[in-house]
Amino acid sequence: MQFRCFFILLLVCSPVFFAQQKITIEDIYGGVFQPQGMEEFQSLKKNNQYTVLNYETDSPRIQIDLYDFASLKKVATLFDTKNYSRLPRIESYSFDPSERLILLATNVVPIYRYSFTADYFIYDLDKKELTRLVDTPIQEPTFSPDGRKIAFAKGNNLYLYDIASKATIALTNDGKKNEIINGICDWVYEEEFAFVKAFDWSADSEKIAYIRFDESQVPEFSMSVFANGLYPSIETIKYPKAGEKNALVSLHIYDVQTKETQKVNLDHYTDFYIPRIKWTNDAHVLSAKILNRHQNNLDLLFVNAKSGGTKVVLNETNKKYIDFVDNDNLTFLKDNQFIWTSEKDGFNHIYLYDKTGKLIRQITKGNWEVTQFYGLDEKNQNIYYESVENGTINRDVYRIGLDGGKKTRLSKNTGTNKATFSPDYNFYINSFSSFNQPTVYSLNDAKTGKELQIIENNEDLKLRLKAYDLPTKEFFTLKTVQNVELNAWMIKPNDFDASKKYPVLMYQYSGPGSQQVKNDWKTYDDYWFMMLAQQGYIVACVDGRGTGFKGEAFKKVTYTQLGKYELEDQMEAAKVLGAYPYIDANRIGIFGWSFGGFMASNAILKGNSIFKLAIAVAPVTNWRFYDTIYTERYMQTPQENPTGYDDNSPINFADQLKGNYLLIHGSSDDNVHVQNSMLMMESLIQANKPFDSQIYPDKNHGIYGGNTRIHLYHKMTNFIKERL
C-alpha cells in the first residue's frame, strides 16, 4: 500500500531566548513555529524501502532519497537537481509500477481545492535520462500497470502517451470548458467527493475507464478578477446550487488496442452521481459506486468490460444519508473478495464481502469508529486501521485478523497516531502528536507496535517554544441543559487568577462529521488563540451535535435542519461557560470560518442575548446559495425542505443583530461565494444594523497569499480587543 503524506520542511533560525516571549501574528505566519516533517514520504511496493523529498537549506537543490525501512539508513539518492540546474522546482513525484521511472511535477498551478496543472518530466533511473512528458501543462498523469503508457488529461480531454515511442494520442476530443469534461471531475465532485482523477487503468493495461461530465445545462457563476489590469476579467464556472441541475454523468471504457470506446448502460438510474470508479483485480471487471441524488442509496456496481453488462453486488441504504467520503474504503483481495466500511450498525466499521457481494463477516465492532483503513496484509491475514477506541479526541493504530480476532493496539502514546506501513507489513512509520508534543516520527514493529527508532522528534521546536512559556489546552466534557455531553477544550492565560473575570472567545466549526476538539499538535489558529490568552482572554471550543466520531445518531441529528441543533449547543455551551465564576458572561464572543462562519453569524443574531461579538469568515448565509452535493446530502432540496433552509439561514434574521459583528470574505471564493456576504450585508443595511466587514480582493476560500493572513489576523485581533 502506498500512502502519501504531505509535510512542510522549513528551516527556522534559532531565536535569541527571552523570558516569556510574546507570540506575534508575524511569528505564526512567518514559520517560527513550524515543525520538521518528512516531505513527500512514499512507501515503495517492490522492496522494503521508502523515499523522501529532501531540500537543501541553503540552496535550491532538491533530492529524492531512498531509505531502508528496517534500518532507516539512506540507501541512495535517486534524483538530484544539481545535475539538472534548469529544471523548475520539484513539488511532487510518483513512480511507475517497476519503480524504475519517476514522474516529476514542476510549475504547479492550483485550480480548485485539490486540482492543479503542472509540467511533468520522466526520469529513467537506469538510463539516467530526463524527458519532458509533453510540452504543455497537464493534469493527473498516471502510469499503466505494465509501465508502458501514461494516461493524462488536458483541456477537458484524455490522452495516452507511449513511453517508448514518445507518441501521444487523444482518447476523447469533445472536451470543452464549461460544457464537457472527460476523466477529470467537475467543480462540485472535486469539492464534495474529494477527488480529481475520474479515470482508472484496468489491471492488464488494456482498458481505461472514465467518467464523462456534461455540464452544459448546469447554471454558471461568475466572479470578477481584479488583478492589476485596467479592467477586471470575469471567471465563470459551472456551479450547481441546491435544487439546481447537476452535470449529467456517464461511464465509458476505452480499449487501448482497438481504440474504441463503449458507453456503460446506466439508463435505469436517474439523477445520480458516480463518486468513484475502480477496476477490480479481474482485468475485465470494473467497479463503480452509484449514488442517488438524495445520497441515501448506494449501489456497488460491477461492470463486465467484455459484455458491457452490469450487476449490483452490494446495496446500502440509510434513512438520512450515506456519509460517503468519510467511509470511502473499497479494497479488493486477490480473489475479488472485498473490504468495505460502513456506518450501518450506527458506527463506522470494517466489513468483508465475497466477490458476489455476500457478507462474510463484520470485522470490527463496538460503540466507536474506525477513522482510517490502512491496508490488508493478505499473506498474514491481518488488517491495519486507525480508530477512536481510546477516546474520541484521540487516534490509535490497530491490527486485527481478517477473521475479526486477535485485535492489538499498536500505538502506545495517547494523542494522535497515524501510520505508514512497509510493503511487507513488518514495519510502519508512526507519526504521533498531542497538544503538548510536536509530531514525533518513529520506526515501529508492525506485529507488536514496539518503537524501534526515532526518526524525528522535533526537540528543537520544543526547545524554541520554551521561550514563549505557552499556555496549555485543557480538555474536558461539558453537559448542556438537554443532558448532552460535548467534548470541549479551554486555553487560559498562564497567569490565570480564578478570582478575576475573563472575557471568552469561543471557536467552532460545527459542520457535519467535523472535529475541532482533538488531541493533536497545534495549528496556526492554536498559536493565535494562545496569543489571545497571553493578552488576557480565555479561548474555548465545543464540538456540538452534528460533529463526528461519536456515532451516526450524534452526527445525523442535524439532518434537514443544518444550524438548528448546532446553534442550540453553542448557545447552551456559552451559558455553561458563562456560569463559571472566572468568566464574564457579558463578554463572550464567537469565531468561525466557512460553516463556522455560518454558525458565528447565527449566534450573534439568534443568540444576541448571549454573545457580545461574532467574527464570521467566508460564511454561508443562505443554504440556497451553496452547492447541490453538500447541501442536499444534509438538507434535501430547497423545493422539498424550504423551511429547513429558511429557518436556519442568518440572512433571514439580520434584524436581530445587537452585538458586534465582523463579516470577512474573499472576492474570488469559488466555494462559498462572496454573494453570501454581499447579500448578508444588504440585509443588515436594510435592517439599519451597524456591522464591520472586510473584503479581500481576488482571494479564495482560504484567504491567503503574501501578507494576507497577517492582515486578516491583525484585523480580527484588533476587533476582539476593541469590542470584547
Side-chain angles (χ1 to χ4, degrees):
M1 175 186 180
Q2 180 172 297
F3 179 68
R4 302 180 66 185
C5 303
F6 296 84
F7 302 98
I8 299 173
L9 184 61
L10 184 66
L11 174 71
V12 180
C13 297
S14 298
V16 178
F17 288 159
F18 298 97
Q20 184 60 50
Q21 280 185 254
K22 298 294 185 182
I23 302 171
T24 68
I25 292 169
E26 286 75 12
D27 284 343
I28 297 171
Y29 288 98
V32 170
F33 307 118
Q34 191 68 46
Q36 298 278 354
M38 299 173 70
E39 181 80 3
E40 284 285 312
F41 176 96
Q42 294 194 37
S43 176
L44 301 186
K45 297 179 180 180
K46 291 290 185 181
N47 48 50
N48 213 37
Q49 297 172 325
Y50 66 89
T51 55
V52 175
L53 201 61
N54 284 326
Y55 292 83
E56 288 281 336
T57 56
D58 56 354
S59 77
R61 183 179 177 185
I62 299 173
Q63 296 172 304
I64 300 174
D65 290 327
L66 181 68
Y67 296 84
D68 178 68
F69 255 108
S71 67
L72 297 181
K73 291 182 179 179
K74 180 176 172 180
V75 176
T77 293
L78 300 183
F79 184 81
D80 194 330
T81 57
K82 75 174 184 179
N83 302 317
Y84 301 93
S85 58
R86 301 176 72 178
L87 182 71
R89 180 184 176 88
I90 298 171
E91 300 193 45
S92 65
Y93 64 94
S94 60
F95 290 90
D96 78 320
S98 73
E99 296 176 343
R100 302 310 300 166
L101 298 178
I102 308 178
L103 195 58
L104 307 171
T106 67
N107 293 330
V108 170
V109 178
I111 303 175
Y112 301 124
R113 186 183 293 269
Y114 307 107
S115 57
F116 60 88
T117 61
D119 295 328
Y120 286 89
F121 295 82
I122 303 171
Y123 182 68
D124 189 312
L125 287 170
D126 297 320
K127 298 178 181 178
K128 309 298 181 187
E129 291 179 354
L130 186 69
T131 307
R132 182 162 182 179
L133 180 56
V134 291
D135 292 334
T136 56
I138 60 173
Q139 289 182 267
E140 301 295 327
T142 305
F143 285 104
S144 59
D146 64 12
R148 296 178 179 178
K149 293 179 171 60
I150 297 174
F152 65 88
K154 183 182 70 171
N156 289 14
N157 282 311
L158 283 175
Y159 294 84
L160 198 59
Y161 175 86
D162 185 275
I163 294 173
S165 68
K166 297 184 172 68
T168 301
I169 63 170
L171 276 60
T172 66
N173 55 27
D174 60 345
K176 186 178 180 181
K177 184 178 180 180
N178 287 338
E179 290 191 18
I180 303 295
I181 313 173
N182 293 288
I184 295 292
C185 289
D186 67 353
W187 183 92
V188 70
Y189 266 61
E190 175 180 339
E191 178 66 26
E192 307 303 355
F193 289 142
F195 76 118
V196 176
K197 183 170 73 73
F199 66 87
D200 195 39
W201 281 97
S202 63
D204 61 3
S205 303
E206 293 297 320
K207 293 179 174 60
I208 300 172
Y210 67 92
I211 305 171
R212 179 181 184 269
F213 296 81
D214 180 349
E215 54 179 3
S216 56
Q217 299 303 309
V218 177
E220 295 180 343
F221 188 87
S222 296
M223 298 177 288
S224 293
V225 179
F226 300 97
N228 295 313
L230 189 60
Y231 295 94
S233 61
I234 302 296
E235 177 67 24
T236 299
I237 63 173
K238 293 287 187 169
Y239 187 107
K241 298 198 174 189
E244 299 298 316
K245 289 184 178 180
N246 280 312
L248 298 174
V249 290
S250 52
L251 183 58
H252 304 260
I253 300 176
Y254 175 85
D255 190 298
V256 175
Q257 296 300 320
T258 66
K259 296 181 174 56
E260 294 180 351
T261 301
Q262 69 172 19
K263 180 181 178 181
V264 177
N265 186 351
L266 300 176
D267 290 346
H268 50 296
Y269 294 104
T270 56
D271 212 357
F272 63 96
Y273 301 111
I274 311 176
R276 292 291 187 275
I277 58 173
K278 182 178 185 178
W279 287 94
T280 72
N281 289 322
D282 182 336
H284 303 295
V285 178
L286 171 73
S287 75
K289 295 181 180 179
I290 310 294
L291 190 63
N292 67 332
R293 182 156 179 165
H294 276 166
Q295 300 174 65
N296 57 12
N297 189 97
L298 175 65
D299 284 346
L300 176 62
L301 201 67
F302 277 8
V303 180
N304 188 309
K306 289 182 176 179
S307 67
T310 62
K311 179 185 178 182
V312 176
V313 295
L314 188 151
N315 170 257
E316 187 164 313
T317 61
N318 193 288
K319 292 180 179 179
K320 294 181 178 178
Y321 59 87
I322 294 169
D323 200 339
F324 174 82
V325 176
D326 288 342
N327 303 321
D328 177 35
N329 291 299
L330 174 60
T331 300
F332 290 99
L333 282 65
K334 290 178 182 178
D335 61 359
N336 260 10
Q337 292 185 52
F338 59 91
I339 290 168
W340 179 272
T341 56
S342 171
E343 292 180 308
K344 66 182 182 179
D345 77 343
F347 294 85
N348 190 42
H349 282 297
I350 302 171
Y351 296 80
L352 176 66
Y353 291 85
D354 72 13
K355 63 182 180 180
T356 69
K358 180 181 178 181
L359 177 64
I360 297 175
R361 70 181 62 90
Q362 181 175 349
I363 294 172
T364 61
K365 297 178 182 179
N367 294 339
W368 46 267
E369 306 230 318
V370 170
T371 50
Q372 189 163 343
F373 172 79
Y374 283 125
L376 167 68
D377 175 6
E378 203 158 353
K379 177 183 176 182
N380 295 303
Q381 298 285 284
N382 285 321
I383 284 174
Y384 294 89
Y385 68 92
E386 172 196 298
S387 79
V388 296
E389 293 173 65
N390 189 33
T392 55
I393 68 171
N394 301 312
R395 300 289 186 274
D396 280 287
V397 180
Y398 286 82
R399 186 190 71 245
I400 192 171
L402 194 58
D403 61 0
K406 298 181 179 178
K407 182 172 71 173
T408 303
R409 179 187 171 197
L410 299 176
S411 47
K412 310 301 181 186
N413 297 314
T414 299
T416 297
N417 294 273
K418 293 187 175 296
T420 304
F421 287 86
S422 62
D424 60 9
Y425 286 96
N426 285 331
F427 306 98
Y428 70 95
I429 290 179
N430 190 77
S431 69
F432 164 74
S433 75
S434 67
F435 184 74
N436 296 312
Q437 173 60 57
T439 307
V440 175
Y441 299 93
S442 63
L443 178 69
N444 295 62
D445 182 277
K447 293 182 177 61
T448 64
K450 180 181 178 182
E451 185 179 284
L452 302 175
Q453 189 174 338
I454 296 292
I455 303 171
E456 171 61 59
N457 59 14
N458 273 297
E459 283 299 315
D460 287 347
L461 176 59
K462 289 184 73 173
L463 180 63
R464 194 181 316 132
L465 291 176
K466 285 184 178 180
Y468 291 86
D469 191 22
L470 298 176
T472 190
K473 182 182 280 187
E474 302 171 14
F475 293 95
F476 62 103
T477 57
L478 181 151
K479 186 176 287 188
T480 68
V481 293
Q482 289 92 354
N483 207 33
V484 180
E485 282 197 358
L486 305 175
N487 291 337
W489 56 250
M490 181 182 292
I491 299 174
K492 299 174 184 174
N494 267 356
D495 59 355
F496 172 76
D497 182 345
S499 66
K500 293 182 179 180
K501 292 276 190 180
Y502 291 87
V504 173
L505 178 70
M506 292 178 64
Y507 164 65
Q508 47 67 56
Y509 177 74
S510 303
S514 65
Q515 185 179 46
Q516 301 305 313
V517 182
K518 49 189 175 181
N519 189 12
D520 60 4
W521 184 240
K522 303 170 180 62
T523 65
Y524 288 110
D525 275 343
D526 281 321
Y527 285 105
W528 183 55
F529 299 147
M530 290 186 292
M531 186 195 82
L532 293 174
Q534 286 182 338
Q535 298 181 24
Y537 295 88
I538 288 176
V539 183
C541 178
V542 179
D543 276 342
R545 284 171 291 178
T547 57
F549 312 108
K550 299 182 78 171
E552 186 181 35
F554 185 88
K555 177 174 65 178
K556 295 182 181 179
V557 69
T558 63
Y559 183 60
T560 71
Q561 290 285 339
L562 279 188
K564 174 180 169 61
Y565 296 103
E566 303 95 318
L567 181 61
E568 284 182 10
D569 286 350
Q570 294 302 314
M571 291 168 63
E572 290 302 323
K575 290 178 183 177
V576 171
L577 294 173
Y580 291 177
Y582 52 82
I583 287 178
D584 186 342
N586 295 315
R587 298 176 66 194
I588 298 177
I590 188 167
F591 157 66
W593 197 308
S594 195
F595 196 106
F598 156 71
M599 287 290 297
S601 300
N602 269 332
I604 197 70
L605 300 172
K606 294 185 176 183
N608 58 26
S609 63
I610 301 170
F611 296 98
K612 182 180 181 181
L613 171 148
I615 300 175
V617 183
V620 171
T621 61
N622 187 331
W623 285 111
R624 296 172 187 269
F625 299 156
Y626 202 53
D627 73 60
T628 50
I629 293 177
Y630 183 94
T631 313
E632 293 173 13
R633 179 187 303 152
Y634 310 118
M635 295 283 283
Q636 300 180 354
T637 66
Q639 295 86 344
E640 296 167 305
N641 181 27
T643 57
Y645 280 76
D646 296 337
D647 290 351
N648 299 292
S649 290
I651 199 170
N652 296 323
F653 301 93
D655 60 349
Q656 295 185 24
L657 178 64
K658 290 183 180 179
N660 302 294
Y661 182 43
L662 174 57
L663 186 56
I664 297 170
H665 223 116
S667 70
S668 289
D669 191 334
D670 60 279
N671 184 356
V672 180
H673 301 146
V674 72
Q675 170 192 26
N676 285 270
S677 285
M678 289 298 183
L679 294 183
M680 186 74 219
M681 291 178 195
E682 176 62 12
S683 293
L684 291 165
I685 290 166
Q686 295 309 316
N688 197 27
K689 296 292 183 177
F691 64 96
D692 291 81
S693 64
Q694 176 71 54
I695 300 296
Y696 285 94
D698 296 340
K699 297 301 182 286
N700 64 15
H701 196 56
I703 311 182
Y704 61 88
N707 285 325
T708 303
R709 278 291 177 101
I710 292 174
H711 184 279
L712 167 62
Y713 276 81
H714 273 299
K715 177 81 175 179
M716 295 193 296
T717 301
N718 292 336
F719 187 74
I720 291 167
K721 292 169 74 173
E722 293 167 5
R723 307 292 182 86
L724 187 63

